[in-house]
Amino acid sequence: MGEGQLDVAEEDLSSLNTLDAELESAIESGDESAFRTALHALLDNVRKVGRPLAADSLEPSELILPPADAHIDEVRSMLGDEGLIPD
């Protein structure tokens, strides 16, 4: 996201995984509009549920999300076996 680190509670991962699945589906279909909508929904939700860490904090990151203006091919290359948000 390029916005610093956020701590996301374990209980919020389920809703993020749902949005991640929608993003994966849009990428697989090649639907740019659906991709853009799904990416923004995922990023918005992470911002909503995530707790910002201090700027000087260097916590290990379990997941790295693309910026809002990322290209569909860029995000496709970031997807692992479990999408962007591991189960």
Side-chain angles (χ1 to χ4, degrees):
M1 288 180 9
E3 301 173 22
Q5 289 185 299
L6 299 171
D7 182 37
V8 175
E10 191 75 29
E11 59 267 15
D12 292 317
L13 291 178
S14 178
S15 64
L16 295 178
N17 274 312
T18 299
L19 295 169
D20 187 33
E22 292 172 13
L23 178 63
E24 284 185 80
S25 178
I27 290 171
E28 288 172 8
S29 71
D31 184 337
E32 180 71 32
S33 178
F35 161 74
R36 190 69 42 211
T37 299
L39 177 60
H40 284 264
L42 176 62
L43 296 177
D44 289 346
N45 199 288
V46 168
R47 289 183 195 106
K48 178 181 170 189
V49 301
R51 182 183 55 84
L53 299 179
D56 60 348
S57 176
L58 293 174
E59 300 293 322
S61 294
E62 293 184 26
L63 43 113
I64 298 173
L65 298 177
D69 63 349
H71 187 273
I72 192 170
D73 292 330
E74 180 182 1
V75 179
R76 182 181 287 120
S77 71
M78 294 176 71
L79 292 176
D81 291 338
E82 297 182 336
L84 293 174
I85 311 288
D87 291 331

